[in-house]
Amino acid sequence: MELHNIWFVLIAVLWTGYFFLEGFDFGVGVLTKVLARDRSERRVLINTIGPVWDGNEVWLLTAGGATFAAFPDWYATLFSGFYLPLLIILVCLIVRGVAFEYRAKRPEEHWQRNWEHAIFWTSLLPAFLWGVIFANIVYGVRIGPDKEYAGSFFDLLNTHAILGGLVTLTLFTFHGAVFTALKTVGDIRIRARRLATTLGLVTAALTLVFLSWTQSHSGDAKSFAAMTVAVLALVAALGANMAGREGWSFAFSGVTIAATVAMLFLALFPDVMPSSLDPEWSLTVTNTSSSPYTLKIMTWLAAIATPVVLLYQGWTYWVFRKRIGTQHIAEPVHH
């Protein structure tokens, strides 16, 4: 396999890791307004992702950096064409990080409530917009002969893209509800499991329609296999959740996300951004790739750094593996 194809696969893996990890912490952020009944329960939810949310974003930075270095023309067209939604996501991620850090700095209820509003909206919007962006990438956008995006922001808000946004939003929220059931004890754990069942049914219906639409438009036998895995894994996640097997349910919801991302990248290949104006103007792994020397250097760096990152993240999740409940929430001390 040629290096540019290998790096296309590696970038798909990085996006899979990002959506698997950040997906559940986006979902938990949405659940702070949907599942939690009071301040103590909101603190429980936030504490389940408190030690890991920032580490999860390393995958996004790495995916963006790898795309810039391996496929600079793809990166340039992507970030100019999707400038507004990507800017909204960037602002959300910044505000979300500030909200996690500042929420507990003062005891006043209105102070904490405002930051909780911020956590909810800055979790919901990126979860929706990532689906809009990837649905557009796979379906094709208005790319001209100069490799530049020739459409407007409103061209991105088509029916297929909005459906893609709803799929990622519900799938991530379902993933977050399963994670909450896995990480908590008491009444909130039981309610998270019940909510996950409802969310899973909605997610299954939306995902089946979206993936079938995408498959009929640009899929092949390989993407169909990935789509089948995604649907079966989602059914298995639902079944495990209803049976009270939260660990298995979380694993299967993760497989659903991984298989969905794999299906989208398989449907995309060998293009990286198909043109809806003329297939000859599409961006491909070949015409957007960096030089073989650059890709060779990147491969060596990735081989050295990736195991270190994986070991550190694995250690973090192991250290903070215990379940928590409202009885573990101490009253904050303010000076």
Side-chain angles (χ1 to χ4, degrees), residues 100-158:
F100 282 132
E101 296 296 329
Y102 275 66
R103 177 186 172 279
K105 295 294 184 185
R106 291 174 58 176
E108 294 87 349
E109 185 173 352
H110 71 276
W111 171 272
Q112 297 195 0
R113 187 172 60 247
N114 288 338
W115 286 119
E116 287 162 4
H117 287 316
I119 290 171
F120 171 75
W121 286 108
T122 56
S123 299
L124 186 147
L125 285 174
F128 175 76
L129 288 174
W130 280 127
V132 171
I133 291 170
F134 271 84
N136 273 294
I137 290 175
V138 176
Y139 205 76
V141 290
R142 298 171 62 84
I143 296 176
D146 55 356
K147 297 184 180 179
E148 295 290 338
Y149 178 64
S152 68
F153 170 72
F154 294 102
D155 290 327
L156 303 177
L157 300 178
N158 53 75

Side-chain angles (χ1 to χ4, degrees), residues 2 44 67 71 85:
E2 297 183 31
V44 169
T67 306
F71 302 100

Side-chain angles (χ1 to χ4, degrees), residues 19 62 143 178 231 286:
F19 288 138
T62 309
I143 296 176
V178 172
V231 173
T286 305

Side-chain angles (χ1 to χ4, degrees), residues 26 48 65 76 86 109 117 125 127 141 143 198 205 236 253 282 287 297 301:
F26 280 149
T48 62
L86 287 171
E109 185 173 352
H117 287 316
L125 285 174
V141 290
I143 296 176
T198 305
S253 65
S282 296
N287 67 21
I297 297 294
L301 290 174

Side-chain angles (χ1 to χ4, degrees), residues 98-231:
V98 174
F100 282 132
E101 296 296 329
Y102 275 66
R103 177 186 172 279
K105 295 294 184 185
R106 291 174 58 176
E108 294 87 349
E109 185 173 352
H110 71 276
W111 171 272
Q112 297 195 0
R113 187 172 60 247
N114 288 338
W115 286 119
E116 287 162 4
H117 287 316
I119 290 171
F120 171 75
W121 286 108
T122 56
S123 299
L124 186 147
L125 285 174
F128 175 76
L129 288 174
W130 280 127
V132 171
I133 291 170
F134 271 84
N136 273 294
I137 290 175
V138 176
Y139 205 76
V141 290
R142 298 171 62 84
I143 296 176
D146 55 356
K147 297 184 180 179
E148 295 290 338
Y149 178 64
S152 68
F153 170 72
F154 294 102
D155 290 327
L156 303 177
L157 300 178
N158 53 75
T159 307
H160 180 263
I162 291 174
L163 179 59
L166 292 175
V167 166
T168 50
L169 174 59
T170 54
L171 180 56
F172 291 166
T173 309
F174 168 69
H175 196 38
V178 172
F179 178 77
T180 301
L182 180 64
K183 289 290 293 180
T184 57
V185 294
D187 183 56
I188 193 170
R189 175 188 177 188
I190 297 170
R191 284 188 283 116
R193 196 188 299 160
R194 289 174 183 163
L195 182 59
T197 301
T198 305
L199 285 168
L201 292 171
V202 176
T203 303
L206 292 172
T207 302
L208 185 60
V209 174
F210 174 71
L211 294 185
S212 300
W213 188 348
T214 305
Q215 173 68 22
S216 65
H217 179 265
S218 51
D220 57 14
K222 293 178 181 176
S223 61
F224 180 75
M227 184 186 89
T228 304
V229 171
V231 173

